[in-house]
Amino acid sequence: MEIIENSAQTILSIKEDLIGPARQRNTAAVSLSGMISNTVANMGLPDGVVEIEWAGNLPDVYVDARQMEQVFNNLIKNSWEAMTNTPSPKIVVNGQRDHDPKFVLVTVQDNGPGIPKEIQEKIWVSFFTTKGGNGGTGLGLSACVQIVNQHGGSISLESESGKGAKFSVRLPVEK
């Protein structure tokens, strides 16, 4: 029964990664702090692993909440999965105004092994995965890029081997 349940979950995950970016967007003003806090709470991660920091008076963003949940769920899940051998895993989600006042900047930073320079460009490509037979489809980050770009935002990575990874997501403020 557990094998069937895991297989069904994998199929649903692949379907969402493929269809999610193509889904018709239902854009509205969204409080990222509330949405991301709720997403983290529903992920079932151990207490204290994810730290959420928000600047005061952060404006709402104009996005499809369901698609943005998918983006941040994927980024946080990837960070968590990358830290299986990290003694004290920590993920910090930080929200602040971008240098361009028309955008909000959210970073997801971990203290894991980092992403080697030689594969940093490849991680955005569909079906590229470092997880091998451990459940990775290679669709998550390519879906994140598509979703964020479709919303008029951008996503980028800063990482050094052995020093964790930091994903930065810029999203437009409420129109």
Side-chain angles (χ1 to χ4, degrees), residues 69-115:
E69 286 172 0
Q70 181 183 348
V71 168
F72 290 104
N73 183 297
N74 191 283
L75 293 176
I76 294 165
K77 181 175 71 77
N78 283 354
S79 287
W80 173 246
E81 291 173 353
M83 296 190 296
T84 55
N85 296 321
T86 302
S88 297
K90 182 60 103 181
I91 301 168
V92 178
V93 181
N94 180 286
Q96 60 188 330
R97 281 306 277 255
D98 187 61
H99 63 275
D100 180 341
K102 296 177 187 165
F103 290 87
V104 166
L105 175 67
V106 178
T107 59
V108 177
Q109 185 169 3
D110 65 55
N111 64 340
I115 300 171

Coordinates of all heavy atoms in Angstrom, one line a residue, residues 69-115:
E69 N 2.7 29.2 -4.5 CA 2.9 28.2 -3.5 C 3.8 27.1 -4.0 O 4.6 26.6 -3.3 CB 1.5 27.6 -3.0 CG 0.8 28.5 -2.1 CD -0.7 28.0 -1.9 OE1 -1.0 27.0 -2.4 OE2 -1.4 28.7 -1.1
Q70 N 3.5 26.7 -5.3 CA 4.3 25.7 -5.9 C 5.8 26.1 -6.0 O 6.6 25.3 -5.7 CB 3.7 25.4 -7.3 CG 4.5 24.3 -8.0 CD 4.0 24.0 -9.5 OE1 3.0 24.5 -9.9 NE2 4.8 23.3 -10.2
V71 N 6.0 27.3 -6.4 CA 7.4 27.8 -6.5 C 8.1 27.7 -5.1 O 9.2 27.1 -5.0 CB 7.4 29.3 -7.0 CG1 8.8 29.9 -6.9 CG2 7.0 29.3 -8.5
F72 N 7.5 28.3 -4.1 CA 8.2 28.3 -2.8 C 8.2 26.9 -2.1 O 9.2 26.6 -1.5 CB 7.6 29.4 -1.9 CG 8.0 30.7 -2.4 CD1 7.1 31.5 -3.1 CD2 9.3 31.2 -2.3 CE1 7.4 32.8 -3.6 CE2 9.7 32.4 -2.8 CZ 8.7 33.2 -3.4
N73 N 7.2 26.1 -2.4 CA 7.3 24.7 -1.9 C 8.4 24.0 -2.5 O 9.2 23.3 -1.8 CB 5.9 24.0 -2.2 CG 5.9 22.6 -1.6 OD1 6.6 21.7 -2.0 ND2 4.9 22.4 -0.7
N74 N 8.6 24.2 -3.8 CA 9.7 23.5 -4.5 C 11.1 24.0 -4.0 O 12.0 23.1 -3.7 CB 9.6 23.7 -6.0 CG 10.5 22.8 -6.8 OD1 11.7 23.1 -6.8 ND2 10.0 21.8 -7.4
L75 N 11.2 25.3 -3.9 CA 12.5 25.8 -3.4 C 12.9 25.3 -2.0 O 14.0 24.9 -1.7 CB 12.5 27.3 -3.5 CG 12.5 27.9 -4.9 CD1 12.4 29.5 -4.8 CD2 13.6 27.5 -5.7
I76 N 11.9 25.3 -1.1 CA 12.1 24.9 0.3 C 12.4 23.4 0.3 O 13.3 22.9 1.0 CB 11.0 25.4 1.2 CG1 11.0 26.9 1.3 CG2 11.1 24.8 2.6 CD1 9.7 27.5 1.8
K77 N 11.6 22.7 -0.4 CA 11.7 21.2 -0.4 C 13.1 20.8 -1.0 O 13.8 19.9 -0.4 CB 10.6 20.6 -1.3 CG 10.6 19.1 -1.3 CD 9.5 18.5 -2.1 CE 9.5 18.7 -3.6 NZ 10.4 17.9 -4.4
N78 N 13.5 21.5 -2.0 CA 14.8 21.2 -2.6 C 15.9 21.5 -1.6 O 16.9 20.7 -1.4 CB 15.1 22.0 -3.9 CG 14.4 21.4 -5.1 OD1 13.8 20.4 -5.0 ND2 14.4 22.2 -6.2
S79 N 15.8 22.6 -0.9 CA 16.8 22.9 0.2 C 16.9 21.8 1.2 O 17.9 21.4 1.6 CB 16.5 24.3 0.8 OG 16.8 25.3 0.0
W80 N 15.7 21.4 1.7 CA 15.6 20.4 2.7 C 16.2 19.1 2.3 O 17.0 18.5 3.0 CB 14.1 20.2 3.2 CG 13.9 19.1 4.1 CD1 13.3 17.9 3.9 CD2 14.5 19.0 5.5 NE1 13.3 17.1 5.0 CE2 14.0 17.8 6.0 CE3 15.2 19.8 6.3 CZ2 14.3 17.3 7.3 CZ3 15.5 19.4 7.5 CH2 15.1 18.2 8.0
E81 N 15.9 18.7 1.1 CA 16.4 17.4 0.5 C 17.9 17.5 0.3 O 18.6 16.4 0.4 CB 15.7 17.0 -0.7 CG 14.2 16.6 -0.5 CD 13.4 16.4 -1.7 OE1 13.9 16.6 -2.8 OE2 12.2 15.9 -1.6
A82 N 18.4 18.6 0.0 CA 19.9 18.8 -0.2 C 20.7 18.7 1.1 O 21.9 18.4 1.0 CB 20.2 20.1 -0.9
M83 N 20.0 18.8 2.2 CA 20.7 18.9 3.5 C 20.7 17.6 4.3 O 20.8 17.6 5.5 CB 20.2 20.1 4.3 CG 20.5 21.4 3.6 SD 20.1 22.8 4.7 CE 18.3 22.7 4.9
T84 N 20.5 16.5 3.6 CA 20.4 15.2 4.4 C 21.6 14.9 5.2 O 21.5 14.3 6.2 CB 20.1 14.0 3.4 OG1 21.1 14.0 2.4 CG2 18.8 14.1 2.7
N85 N 22.8 15.4 4.8 CA 24.0 15.1 5.5 C 24.5 16.4 6.3 O 25.7 16.4 6.7 CB 25.1 14.6 4.6 CG 24.7 13.3 4.0 OD1 24.1 12.4 4.7 ND2 25.0 13.1 2.7
T86 N 23.7 17.4 6.4 CA 24.1 18.6 7.1 C 23.7 18.5 8.6 O 22.5 18.2 8.9 CB 23.3 19.8 6.5 OG1 23.7 19.9 5.1 CG2 23.7 21.1 7.2
P87 N 24.7 18.6 9.5 CA 24.4 18.4 10.9 C 23.3 19.2 11.5 O 22.5 18.7 12.2 CB 25.7 18.7 11.6 CG 26.8 18.7 10.5 CD 26.0 19.0 9.2
S88 N 23.2 20.5 11.2 CA 22.2 21.4 11.8 C 21.5 22.1 10.6 O 21.8 23.3 10.4 CB 22.8 22.4 12.8 OG 23.3 21.7 13.9
P89 N 20.6 21.4 9.9 CA 20.1 22.1 8.7 C 19.2 23.3 9.0 O 18.5 23.3 10.0 CB 19.2 21.0 8.1 CG 18.9 20.0 9.2 CD 20.1 20.1 10.1
K90 N 19.4 24.4 8.2 CA 18.7 25.6 8.4 C 18.3 26.2 7.1 O 19.2 26.3 6.2 CB 19.6 26.6 9.2 CG 18.9 27.9 9.5 CD 17.7 27.8 10.4 CE 17.9 28.1 11.8 NZ 16.7 28.0 12.6
I91 N 17.1 26.6 7.0 CA 16.6 27.3 5.8 C 16.0 28.6 6.2 O 15.2 28.7 7.1 CB 15.5 26.5 5.1 CG1 16.0 25.1 4.7 CG2 14.9 27.2 3.8 CD1 14.9 24.1 4.2
V92 N 16.5 29.7 5.6 CA 16.0 31.0 6.0 C 15.3 31.6 4.8 O 15.8 31.7 3.7 CB 17.2 32.0 6.4 CG1 16.6 33.4 6.7 CG2 17.9 31.4 7.6
V93 N 14.0 31.9 5.0 CA 13.2 32.6 3.9 C 13.1 34.0 4.4 O 12.6 34.3 5.4 CB 11.8 31.9 3.8 CG1 11.0 32.6 2.7 CG2 11.9 30.4 3.5
N94 N 13.5 34.9 3.5 CA 13.6 36.4 3.8 C 12.8 37.1 2.8 O 13.0 37.0 1.6 CB 15.0 36.8 3.9 CG 15.1 38.3 4.2 OD1 14.9 39.2 3.3 ND2 15.5 38.6 5.4
G95 N 11.9 38.0 3.2 CA 11.1 38.9 2.3 C 11.4 40.3 2.6 O 11.4 40.8 3.7
Q96 N 11.7 41.1 1.5 CA 12.0 42.5 1.7 C 11.7 43.2 0.4 O 11.5 42.6 -0.7 CB 13.5 42.7 2.0 CG 14.4 42.1 1.0 CD 15.9 42.1 1.4 OE1 16.3 43.0 2.2 NE2 16.7 41.2 1.0
R97 N 11.7 44.6 0.4 CA 11.6 45.3 -0.8 C 12.8 45.2 -1.7 O 13.9 45.1 -1.2 CB 11.4 46.8 -0.5 CG 10.1 47.3 0.0 CD 8.9 46.9 -0.9 NE 8.7 47.8 -2.1 CZ 7.7 48.6 -2.1 NH1 6.8 48.7 -1.2 NH2 7.5 49.3 -3.2
D98 N 12.6 45.0 -3.0 CA 13.7 45.0 -3.9 C 14.3 46.4 -4.1 O 13.6 47.4 -3.7 CB 13.2 44.4 -5.2 CG 14.3 44.1 -6.2 OD1 15.2 43.3 -5.9 OD2 14.3 44.8 -7.3
H99 N 15.5 46.5 -4.6 CA 16.0 47.8 -4.9 C 15.1 48.6 -5.9 O 15.1 49.8 -5.9 CB 17.4 47.7 -5.5 CG 17.5 47.0 -6.8 ND1 17.6 45.6 -6.9 CD2 17.5 47.5 -8.1 CE1 17.7 45.3 -8.2 NE2 17.6 46.4 -8.9
D100 N 14.4 47.9 -6.7 CA 13.3 48.5 -7.6 C 12.0 48.4 -6.8 O 11.5 47.3 -6.5 CB 13.2 47.7 -8.9 CG 12.2 48.2 -9.8 OD1 11.3 49.0 -9.4 OD2 12.2 47.9 -11.0
P101 N 11.4 49.6 -6.4 CA 10.2 49.6 -5.6 C 9.0 48.9 -6.2 O 8.0 48.7 -5.5 CB 10.0 51.1 -5.4 CG 10.7 51.8 -6.4 CD 11.9 50.9 -6.8
K102 N 9.1 48.5 -7.5 CA 8.0 47.9 -8.1 C 8.0 46.3 -7.9 O 7.1 45.6 -8.3 CB 8.0 48.1 -9.6 CG 7.8 49.5 -10.0 CD 7.9 49.7 -11.5 CE 7.8 51.2 -11.9 NZ 8.3 51.4 -13.2
F103 N 9.0 45.9 -7.1 CA 9.2 44.5 -6.8 C 9.4 44.2 -5.4 O 9.9 45.0 -4.6 CB 10.4 43.9 -7.6 CG 10.1 43.9 -9.1 CD1 10.4 45.0 -9.9 CD2 9.6 42.7 -9.7 CE1 10.2 44.9 -11.3 CE2 9.4 42.7 -11.1 CZ 9.7 43.8 -11.9
V104 N 9.1 43.0 -5.0 CA 9.4 42.4 -3.7 C 10.5 41.3 -4.0 O 10.4 40.6 -5.0 CB 8.2 41.8 -3.0 CG1 8.5 40.9 -1.8 CG2 7.3 42.9 -2.6
L105 N 11.4 41.2 -3.1 CA 12.5 40.1 -3.2 C 12.3 39.1 -2.1 O 12.3 39.5 -0.9 CB 13.9 40.8 -3.1 CG 15.1 39.8 -3.1 CD1 15.2 39.1 -4.5 CD2 16.3 40.6 -2.8
V106 N 12.2 37.9 -2.4 CA 12.2 36.8 -1.4 C 13.3 35.9 -1.7 O 13.5 35.4 -2.8 CB 10.8 36.0 -1.5 CG1 10.8 34.9 -0.5 CG2 9.6 36.9 -1.3
T107 N 14.1 35.6 -0.7 CA 15.2 34.7 -0.8 C 15.0 33.4 0.0 O 14.4 33.5 1.1 CB 16.6 35.3 -0.4 OG1 16.5 35.7 1.0 CG2 16.9 36.5 -1.3
V108 N 15.4 32.3 -0.5 CA 15.4 31.0 0.2 C 16.8 30.6 0.3 O 17.4 30.2 -0.8 CB 14.5 30.0 -0.5 CG1 14.5 28.7 0.2 CG2 13.1 30.5 -0.7
Q109 N 17.4 30.6 1.5 CA 18.8 30.3 1.6 C 19.0 29.1 2.6 O 18.3 29.1 3.6 CB 19.5 31.5 2.2 CG 21.0 31.3 2.2 CD 21.8 32.7 2.5 OE1 21.1 33.7 2.7 NE2 23.1 32.6 2.5
D110 N 19.9 28.2 2.3 CA 20.2 27.1 3.2 C 21.6 27.0 3.5 O 22.5 27.7 2.9 CB 19.6 25.8 2.6 CG 20.4 25.3 1.3 OD1 21.6 25.2 1.3 OD2 19.7 25.1 0.3
N111 N 22.0 26.2 4.5 CA 23.3 25.9 4.9 C 23.8 24.6 4.5 O 24.7 24.0 5.1 CB 23.5 26.2 6.4 CG 22.7 25.1 7.2 OD1 21.8 24.5 6.7 ND2 23.1 25.0 8.5
G112 N 23.3 24.1 3.3 CA 23.6 22.7 2.8 C 24.9 22.7 2.1 O 25.8 23.6 2.2
P113 N 25.1 21.7 1.2 CA 26.3 21.5 0.5 C 26.6 22.5 -0.6 O 27.7 22.5 -1.2 CB 26.2 20.1 0.0 CG 24.8 19.9 -0.2 CD 24.1 20.6 1.0
G114 N 25.6 23.2 -1.0 CA 25.7 24.1 -2.1 C 25.6 23.4 -3.5 O 25.4 22.2 -3.5
I115 N 25.6 24.2 -4.5 CA 25.5 23.7 -5.9 C 26.8 24.0 -6.6 O 27.1 25.1 -6.8 CB 24.3 24.3 -6.6 CG1 23.0 24.0 -5.8 CG2 24.2 23.8 -8.0 CD1 21.8 24.7 -6.3

